[in-house]
Amino acid sequence: MTGGTARWLPRLFAGSSIALVLGLLLSGGLGASAQLLSGVTEVGGGSNVGELSVSYWTWASTAVWKIPVTVPALASSTVGTPTRLATGGGALVLDAATAGNASVRWEFVESTAAPHSTEIELRFTVGLSGPAASFRTYLETQTATPTGALTFFLFWDAGTVAPTGITIETMQVDVLACSSVGHCP
């Protein structure tokens, strides 16, 4: 090797190695599915996970969970007849649910800035390694301001998927404030 080649060859190798590693990391992270394991909260978001929310109702986490033994009440799927949120937080199911079934559980936090008696529309799109399911639910904030942030869990019975984990290909959650009860976007 000549002296000139010996000087730039290590730099070329180092530059190529960095580019290769970055390329592998980026290609592995972009468009990747989210894998949720039972009882473990999904803490990351991929390019296939999206959210649109109002400031007083935020999406805190998502996890694979079992439908509780005492199945929570069914949330309304009809605009104009929202389910009033409990004054101390709580849980609701988004579809017909069976105790013990695997489910996707969303955790939302309602802040003390929530307006009184306001209907919100939640639009969910979830693809579980196959066709996506889309559904909407309608909730109404309390008639009085909460004294602290409240936690609400919304369960979607995923049916016959493996109870230890679900691969979510796509997930989109949109929370929209209605101008008044029955007048949603």
Side-chain angles (χ1 to χ4, degrees), residues 83-172:
T83 300
R84 177 155 330 251
L85 295 170
T87 57
L92 297 164
V93 292
L94 301 172
D95 60 347
T98 302
N101 272 6
S103 73
V104 177
R105 184 193 78 174
W106 288 274
E107 178 182 350
F108 290 93
V109 176
E110 181 186 42
S111 78
T112 56
H116 302 172
S117 301
T118 299
E119 184 172 10
I120 56 176
E121 177 180 340
L122 284 77
R123 297 177 182 176
F124 296 88
T125 302
V126 183
L128 304 174
S129 304
S134 293
F135 45 94
R136 294 179 185 195
T137 194
Y138 299 90
L139 305 174
E140 184 178 350
T141 59
Q142 296 84 7
T143 56
T145 302
T147 57
L150 299 175
T151 301
F152 292 92
F153 296 102
L154 302 178
F155 293 87
W156 176 63
D157 191 326
T160 59
V161 299
T164 57
I166 296 174
T167 298
I168 297 177
E169 297 294 337
T170 59
M171 184 185 308
Q172 178 69 35

Side-chain angles (χ1 to χ4, degrees), residues 37-76:
L37 301 176
S38 184
V40 178
T41 300
E42 188 261 337
V43 293
S47 60
N48 295 344
V49 177
E51 173 187 15
L52 169 69
S53 190
V54 294
S55 61
Y56 56 86
W57 181 267
T58 56
W59 180 11
S61 69
T62 303
V64 171
W65 218 261
K66 290 188 181 209
I67 298 291
V69 173
T70 302
V71 178
L74 181 64
S76 174

